[in-house]
Amino acid sequence: MYTKSIILVLLVLSVFTFTVTAQPLEEVQPAAVVETASPDNGLLYMREEEKLARDVYLALYEIWGARTFLNIAQAEQQHMDTVGALLASRNLEDPAAQTAFGEFKNPDLADLYTQLVEKGSVSLVQAYQVGALIEDLDIADLQSYLAQTEDEAEIWVYTALLRGSQNHMRSFVKQLSRYNESYQPVYITEAELAALLSTR
């Protein structure tokens, strides 16, 4: 039924690979938890949540120059494009269209962007903690939307984004381990994180 939508999305989705590097910096405690409201429309929300990830990572790259953030930001752009293609195929209004860097129509995401960039500006380790927190939130939201939909195209898109977020989480945790730091999950369980880190 949604074969045309899936083909369109396939055209913009690519395999997410990246190289991770970091520069040592003073370590601080993980960022405090920032809660966000649960949206009704998964596609519209995930379009902006992927923009949140991209924009935060680009901001942190500008601050620290760590390629991990630039590489993952590029993957987040692909995530955005994937959701955007599905929105376009269904003639749904794109909440990220014609929005500036760091600008969001969802006020919760706008506040979250400001808070996360501020926290990630403290140190490189704190920035990696922020990255892990964003992926933690993405994974939880995508799992929730997958459980709520039976739409073939949505399942395909959410599953692809989920794999990407899981890979990004592994990368941020790997960077933290270089500083003898770990990530304490907030949105998914410790068991889920452990299982994620044990697989590729």
Side-chain angles (χ1 to χ4, degrees):
M1 181 176 181
Y2 294 110
T3 301
K4 185 179 294 185
S5 295
I6 294 175
I7 291 173
L8 180 61
V9 172
L10 274 168
L11 293 176
V12 298
L13 187 68
S14 62
V15 177
F16 309 121
T17 59
F18 41 81
T19 304
V20 291
T21 60
Q23 302 83 29
L25 203 67
E26 68 175 13
E27 301 177 9
V28 296
Q29 294 301 312
V33 179
V34 182
E35 298 291 344
T36 60
S38 177
D40 294 326
N41 191 308
L43 288 176
L44 298 177
Y45 189 74
M46 288 311 302
R47 171 73 165 160
E48 282 205 292
E49 190 169 286
E50 297 299 333
K51 183 180 186 297
L52 169 76
R54 184 201 66 180
D55 290 1
V56 170
Y57 298 156
L58 287 176
L60 295 179
Y61 173 70
E62 287 297 315
I63 295 169
W64 301 113
R67 294 266 328 162
T68 300
F69 294 111
L70 180 60
N71 292 335
I72 298 181
Q74 291 170 345
E76 298 296 354
Q77 179 64 62
Q78 293 174 322
H79 289 190
M80 285 183 64
D81 293 344
T82 300
V83 179
L86 186 54
L87 291 176
S89 74
R90 296 182 175 183
N91 295 315
L92 295 174
E93 182 178 357
D94 183 355
Q98 299 182 345
T99 55
F101 178 84
E103 179 184 353
F104 303 87
K105 291 186 177 178
N106 184 299
D108 294 309
L109 292 178
D111 290 342
L112 188 58
Y113 170 81
T114 300
Q115 295 177 52
L116 291 178
V117 172
E118 180 180 348
K119 292 175 187 302
S121 301
V122 174
S123 75
L124 182 55
V125 167
Q126 188 79 331
Y128 288 139
Q129 291 283 358
V130 164
L133 180 65
I134 291 173
E135 300 306 331
D136 187 353
L137 176 61
D138 276 359
I139 290 167
D141 284 344
L142 288 165
Q143 288 175 337
S144 176
Y145 289 134
L146 275 168
Q148 295 173 33
T149 187
E150 296 181 356
D151 183 285
E152 181 180 350
E154 289 180 10
I155 290 172
W156 193 91
V157 167
Y158 292 151
T159 299
L161 267 59
L162 179 59
R163 291 195 189 104
S165 290
Q166 290 169 337
N167 286 335
H168 300 166
M169 174 66 87
R170 293 185 187 101
S171 292
F172 285 125
V173 170
K174 179 180 179 180
Q175 290 304 315
L176 286 168
S177 70
R178 297 180 62 183
Y179 300 88
N180 295 316
E181 291 281 343
S182 61
Y183 175 70
Q184 190 70 26
V186 174
Y187 300 100
I188 63 175
T189 67
E190 291 187 16
E192 286 177 308
L193 178 60
L196 185 160
L197 296 176
S198 68
T199 59
R200 294 300 299 175

